[in-house]
Amino acid sequence: MRDRVAELLNLRERARDGASAEATRAQWSRGKLTAHERLGLLFDEGTFTEVERLRRHRATGFGLESRRPYADGVVTGWGRVHGRTVFAYAHDFRAFGGALGEAHAEKIHKIMDLAESTGAPVVGLCDGAGARIQEGVTALAGYGGIFQRNVRASGVIPQISVVVGPCAGGAAYSPALTDFVFMVRDIAQMFVTGPDVVRAVTGEVVTHDRLGGADVHAASSGVAAFAYDDEESCLADVRYLLSLLPSNNREPPPVAETGDSADRRTDRLAELVPVEPNRSYDIRTVIGEIADRGEFFEVHEGWAPNVVCALTRLDGHVTGVVANQPAHLAGVLDIAAAEKAARFVQWCDAFNIPLVTLVDVPGFLPGVEQEHAGIIRHGAKLLYAYCNATVPRIQLILRKAYGGAYIVMDSRSIGADLSLAWPTNEIAVMGAEGAAEVVFRREIAGAADPEAVRALRIAEYRERLMHPYHAAEHGLVDDVIDPAETRSALIGALAMLRAKHRPSPSRKHGNQPQ
């Protein structure tokens, strides 16, 4: 028995060491950690349990018979993150460049099935060269099995992808199907077709980073929700995100004691938000003032910055915040902002996270480019997401809320449970200046003093239809509150709504706008 145990320990060590010491040194020379080092950063110390570490491929041909490393280029298993069970797989670039073969794929399939059946999150650490060419169609079928499981687990368990190396071709679609994508600058790239193919087909010369690096996907394409300078800070934030999420869609998000009083006044908000509707400010300062201990976790910070989506805690309870950002494009809604907010709303609804929507929006971004690119169907995605959401929903109107954008930003008319407003709110079809030009166009044009008449009519329109209490008088705002009461009002309302239950209609699924 002692001899057999010694043999077992030797095999385990060989599996952990990878293809060779040279391959490990090469991984480090690229500024990259090994798969086991990454998993050590992800999980609570000493809690990771590896499965199928002695698995090897059975493929033949092209020299594969003599290359059968243990673990077959992927490390799979489970452990604990902040004391809760999480499953993970990590491509090991030291074996076949992390390329996916049949055995490799089956290991990932197994860990994804375990995660779904036990109701626990799954994290994929992506550092692979795509499908293993020597294995042909069986490698491609392996990807199909991953994609099918991604979709089946969508909205059931949290799925997180961490791209810490190449992720090209079909491999890029698995992260795209998960809830959140993290990327590390300089070492991570994602693209469907690489620079060589792009050059051959289009003649464009582009580097790997410029084509599919972390900053490209975090700021331009919207594929990556987060980008980091190093793997350590990236995996620390993966752990933090997991601490905010329920393990599955049948559980509420975890509650934490933050030490921040629910009755804390937010007097500073009156100074942070200018009364004048055309003056800029940073909505993140408002979120920070409301949130427990000023902490919130922004999603897609670099993409579509005219809307802010963030997770925070209010009285210890996880809450999703969607907010217009007046500091960028005056907070208008455009195609990217609508898509970003819609996906966030849909995801919060799937995992029982209540929504607070902070509204300060002048409308949708006008222009030929936006119209031709489909602002109608893309804007409808946000409308659909809110209308479809069954979690507690509270709208808070800070300043202006004009036109269709007011409706789309979770108004009472589309199902918000409560609508609150500050005494600076202006809810109208459009701004008073534009409205006066439309309603009184002929009178202004025919007046002896057009400017005087215009000013008079603007004041009249503002007084009759844009005063802060007009919507409250018609029951479309539940209460107008002092900004200093904002935090306590939101916390009280969310506590009341915690038991909310709205059964869904009997249907296979809706037909979401594309």
Side-chain angles (χ1 to χ4, degrees):
M1 180 60 73
R2 291 191 185 93
D3 291 342
R4 295 295 178 89
V5 170
E7 180 185 21
L8 170 63
L9 295 177
N10 180 56
L11 289 176
R12 285 184 172 183
E13 187 175 351
R14 286 171 58 188
R16 183 180 179 88
D17 289 344
S20 66
E22 183 181 350
T24 300
R25 287 192 294 271
Q27 181 80 347
W28 289 338
S29 72
R30 299 184 189 100
K32 296 162 63 176
L33 301 176
T34 66
H36 285 96
E37 289 170 335
R38 288 163 175 161
L39 292 167
L41 291 172
L42 173 64
F43 290 109
D44 298 346
E45 186 175 356
T47 65
F48 179 64
T49 299
E50 187 173 349
V51 295
E52 295 198 10
R53 73 177 87 198
L54 301 182
R55 183 78 179 258
R56 296 200 288 181
H57 72 75
R58 296 166 293 181
T60 59
F62 305 104
L64 288 179
E65 304 92 334
S66 59
R67 298 175 62 198
R68 299 182 65 222
Y70 290 108
D72 201 53
V74 64
V75 180
T76 58
W78 74 88
R80 294 192 174 276
V81 176
H82 298 294
R84 295 190 299 154
T85 299
V86 173
F87 289 82
Y89 62 88
H91 299 298
D92 189 346
F93 196 81
R94 299 172 301 173
F96 299 112
L100 182 138
E102 183 181 20
H104 181 125
E106 288 175 353
K107 289 181 65 176
I108 297 175
H109 296 169
K110 179 171 184 173
I111 218 67
M112 294 178 76
D113 289 342
L114 282 171
E116 184 183 352
S117 63
T118 59
V122 62
V123 178
L125 300 170
C126 306
D127 183 10
R132 197 173 297 171
I133 298 171
Q134 300 94 320
E135 294 195 29
V137 71
T138 58
L140 296 177
Y143 274 126
I146 294 173
F147 302 157
Q148 192 244 8
R149 286 167 173 81
N150 284 138
V151 174
R152 193 175 67 202
S154 181
V156 178
I157 57 173
Q159 300 181 81
I160 297 173
S161 297
V162 186
V163 183
V164 283
C167 187
Y173 283 107
S174 178
L177 289 168
T178 60
D179 298 309
F180 296 103
V181 176
F182 290 71
M183 293 186 73
V184 178
R185 295 182 179 93
D186 298 328
I187 63 172
Q189 299 92 31
M190 289 178 68
F191 36 69
V192 175
T193 54
D196 292 341
V197 175
V198 170
R199 183 172 62 251
V201 174
T202 70
E204 297 173 277
V205 178
V206 65
T207 65
H208 287 80
D209 258 352
R210 282 188 57 212
L211 181 62
D215 288 324
V216 168
H217 287 308
S220 298
S221 72
V223 171
F226 309 97
Y228 297 87
D229 290 329
D230 56 76
E231 295 188 55
E232 291 81 2
S233 60
C234 175
L235 289 167
D237 267 4
V238 173
R239 286 175 54 85
Y240 180 65
L241 175 59
L242 286 167
S243 75
L244 298 170
L245 307 184
S247 292
N248 55 67
N249 66 339
R250 300 184 302 277
E251 296 181 1
V255 181
E257 177 54 58
T258 62
D260 196 346
S261 171
D263 297 325
R264 173 170 60 81
R265 286 176 61 84
T266 49
D267 296 280
R268 189 164 170 260
L269 289 178
E271 304 169 6
L272 295 175
V273 180
V275 173
E276 298 82 1
N278 58 348
R279 282 186 59 191
S280 176
Y281 66 94
D282 190 343
I283 193 64
R284 289 174 294 190
T285 61
V286 175
I287 299 171
E289 186 67 16
I290 297 169
D292 287 2
R293 303 180 68 84
E295 296 178 359
F296 60 92
F297 193 53
E298 188 172 351
V299 179
H300 283 296
E301 181 180 354
W303 180 56
N306 40 319
V307 68
V308 172
C309 299
L311 290 171
T312 190
R313 291 186 185 274
L314 292 174
D315 196 28
H317 293 268
V318 178
T319 305
V321 177
V322 179
N324 304 112
Q325 173 59 290
H328 189 85
L329 292 177
V332 298
L333 288 176
D334 59 5
I335 288 172
E339 288 198 334
K340 170 180 169 177
R343 181 165 171 80
F344 183 75
V345 168
Q346 182 174 281
W347 177 82
C348 286
D349 185 53
F351 290 104
N352 310 311
I353 297 173
L355 288 158
V356 170
T357 303
L358 306 179
V359 184
D360 190 348
V361 62
F364 282 93
L365 182 64
V368 174
E369 182 180 349
Q370 286 284 305
E371 295 291 347
H372 288 187
I375 185 65
I376 295 173
R377 60 187 176 88
H378 290 288
K381 293 178 183 179
L382 180 54
L383 186 61
Y384 188 98
Y386 270 126
C387 291
N388 202 45
T390 60
V391 293
R393 292 156 47 192
I394 300 175
Q395 179 195 52
L396 174 61
I397 302 165
L398 308 184
R399 284 195 313 189
K400 57 190 176 296
Y402 296 158
Y406 153 69
I407 301 171
V408 168
M409 290 296 290
D410 204 19
S411 63
R412 278 284 304 279
S413 59
I414 65 168
D417 297 294
L418 289 172
S419 178
L420 306 176
W422 287 358
T424 46
N425 81 84
E426 292 184 353
I427 305 175
V429 176
M430 61 177 66
E433 291 78 4
E437 288 289 350
V438 173
V439 177
F440 306 107
R441 181 177 65 252
R442 291 183 179 177
E443 181 184 352
I444 292 171
D449 188 348
E451 289 303 318
V453 174
R454 180 182 291 108
L456 181 66
R457 295 310 184 193
I458 289 173
E460 178 187 354
Y461 186 86
R462 183 173 284 119
E463 181 181 352
R464 292 188 61 182
L465 295 179
M466 294 183 65
H467 66 78
Y469 308 104
H470 181 74
E473 291 171 1
H474 287 76
L476 295 174
V477 165
D478 292 285
D479 197 10
V480 179
I481 63 172
D482 180 346
E485 302 168 351
T486 299
R487 174 177 161 83
S488 59
L490 291 175
I491 288 173
L494 289 170
M496 176 274 294
L497 290 166
R498 205 155 286 137
K500 174 186 174 182
H501 175 68
R502 194 187 84 182
S504 299
S506 177
R507 62 182 177 184
K508 187 174 182 180
H509 56 74
N511 188 20
Q512 181 177 337
Q514 300 298 317

